[in-house]
Amino acid sequence: MKYSLDFSAVIFDLDGTLLYTLEEIAAAGNAALLSQGYAEYPVEAYRNFVGAGAAKLAWRILPESKRNKENHDEIFPALLEEFERVLNTIARPYLGVLEVLSALSSADKKIAVLSNKPDEFTKKAVKKFLPDTDFFAVRGGVSDVPLKPAPDGAIKLAEEMGVEPEHTVFVGDSDVDIQTAVNAGMIAVGAGWGFRGAKELINAGAKIVFDEPLDLLGLL
């Protein structure tokens, strides 16, 4: 199916959108929990823990009765250490992602990545799994830019690409991503194949929700 959208650039979320990383995130989270004497979670539980950055993930995986600053200050660095240990050992691109990125580039659409994953880990993952894609920029979470759903990072990317927000598609798999697109005045497209599913994306305000990456070709 073809969609008549007037766009010149596409900004992608990373985890759950371009890369399947749920098992990797769960491995890091569970290892951090065990190191602090807490119980593990099943992998599926992490679908609802992810999306708001590493600091928020560290908070969410703590047992509710243990969610305080002291415990968070202890588990957060443990989580980052485990992230680095397992980074890119389980993750993989979703089927069709490489074809979509190639097609967008061939159509002279500017493409970028904006993730809440720590910036260093975001760049390493893209370099390993999507090395042949000519991204305008690849950005993760940094201390001086508010994380999604704040629109700051997305708006800054659009400005640098020389594209108006209303001509920029933002693709993501969580309500955080869709809220980012809405807050930035961009075209919100939901990655229904990702961690959260279509219902959450529609409720968050997605203009379109696709079932699989190759459906994005309908935008061209």
Side-chain angles (χ1 to χ4, degrees):
M1 181 182 295
K2 291 287 185 181
Y3 297 84
S4 61
L5 295 181
D6 181 12
F7 72 101
S8 301
V10 183
I11 299 174
F12 288 94
D13 171 50
L14 184 65
D15 296 321
T17 302
L18 294 176
L19 302 181
Y20 173 74
T21 56
L22 190 65
E23 292 173 39
E24 193 168 280
I25 293 169
N30 283 338
L33 286 166
L34 289 173
S35 75
Q36 303 297 309
Y38 302 121
E40 298 176 294
Y41 291 99
V43 171
E44 287 299 302
Y46 281 84
R47 289 186 183 275
N48 293 316
F49 292 153
V50 300
K56 183 65 75 173
L57 174 61
W59 179 265
R60 288 173 175 171
I61 63 176
L62 282 168
E64 286 191 29
S65 63
K66 302 293 184 180
R67 289 176 184 167
N68 57 54
K69 185 179 185 302
E70 181 180 355
N71 290 334
H72 183 265
D73 287 347
E74 291 179 353
I75 199 169
F76 183 34
L79 177 63
L80 292 179
E81 184 177 329
E82 294 300 334
F83 262 144
E84 190 162 14
R85 182 180 64 82
V86 303
L87 186 69
N88 303 334
T89 60
I90 309 172
R92 62 182 183 273
Y94 283 100
L95 184 66
V97 159
L98 297 178
E99 292 88 338
V100 167
L101 294 174
S102 177
L104 288 169
S105 293
S106 296
D108 293 325
K109 306 297 184 182
K110 294 177 181 177
I111 51 178
V113 171
L114 182 63
S115 174
N116 277 346
K117 195 187 198 86
D119 188 62
E120 178 186 2
F121 299 157
T122 297
K123 286 179 167 60
K124 285 182 177 179
V126 169
K127 184 177 180 179
K128 176 168 183 177
F129 295 111
L130 308 168
D132 298 323
T133 300
D134 185 21
F135 288 108
F136 178 87
V138 175
R139 293 182 185 159
V142 292
S143 60
D144 58 345
V145 179
L147 295 178
K148 301 178 293 184
D152 306 51
I155 290 173
K156 188 169 188 288
L157 264 176
E159 288 176 352
E160 292 174 4
M161 290 189 286
V163 179
E164 294 297 322
E166 60 265 31
H167 299 307
T168 304
V169 171
F170 195 108
V171 184
D173 72 302
S174 74
D175 58 347
V176 168
D177 296 309
I178 300 306
Q179 288 162 10
T180 302
V182 172
N183 292 340
M186 296 178 175
I187 304 165
V189 173
W193 61 85
F195 296 160
R196 297 288 179 78
K199 184 176 180 181
E200 175 173 302
L201 303 172
I202 292 169
N203 290 341
K207 184 179 181 66
I208 303 167
V209 177
F210 291 126
D211 295 328
E212 57 185 56
L214 286 173
D215 291 340
L216 288 163
L217 297 177
L219 298 178
L220 296 174

